[in-house]
Amino acid sequence: MSSFEESGHMYQFLVSFTVQPEHRDDFVEAAGRAARDSLANEPGSRRFEIIADAENPDVFYLNEAYADVEAFDAHAGGPYFAAFFAQVGAYAEGPTWLMKGNLVGDKAAA
């Protein structure tokens, strides 16, 4: 692990998607596949969480973390990212960027 990662400076973001109601399960399945494949095969992928909105069942959030912005760029240029958007593009609006940046400070204090 690099000193950059040890100090907690991972690149993270939160995006939202609004999904057509009849495709909620499809979206979760596609995002889950992208998460599993990315975490298993992209060395810079650290976290990929799928979160259902508490008030609107058609809204989902993807909370992702990468070793650094270069690792995210590699993910965005990779096959799992492309496959995800190819599948969900017909029924999901997004992503809407809600937050992106580098974690600062001690992870234990967060």
Side-chain angles (χ1 to χ4, degrees):
M1 186 178 281
S2 73
S3 60
F4 186 71
E5 291 171 52
E6 289 171 353
S7 64
H9 293 90
M10 289 187 294
Y11 181 73
Q12 300 185 59
F13 65 84
L14 178 66
V15 294
S16 68
F17 288 86
T18 302
V19 179
Q20 294 171 3
E22 64 274 17
H23 289 287
R24 290 182 202 132
D25 291 342
D26 298 327
F27 181 86
V28 170
E29 189 273 326
R33 183 180 328 105
R36 286 186 300 277
D37 291 345
S38 297
L39 291 169
N41 299 302
E42 296 173 349
S45 292
R46 299 290 184 259
R47 182 179 67 237
F48 195 125
E49 299 168 328
I50 306 159
I51 302 163
D53 188 89
E55 296 179 8
N56 184 341
D58 299 334
V59 173
F60 293 89
Y61 305 99
L62 300 183
N63 186 29
E64 301 180 36
Y66 296 85
D68 49 36
V69 72
E70 290 81 11
F72 168 71
D73 289 342
H75 167 73
Y80 314 117
F81 185 92
F84 170 75
F85 279 99
Q87 182 173 352
V88 307
Y91 57 78
E93 293 179 29
T96 299
W97 290 85
L98 303 173
M99 178 278 297
K100 61 182 170 180
N102 292 305
L103 178 66
V104 294
D106 183 359
K107 284 191 271 189

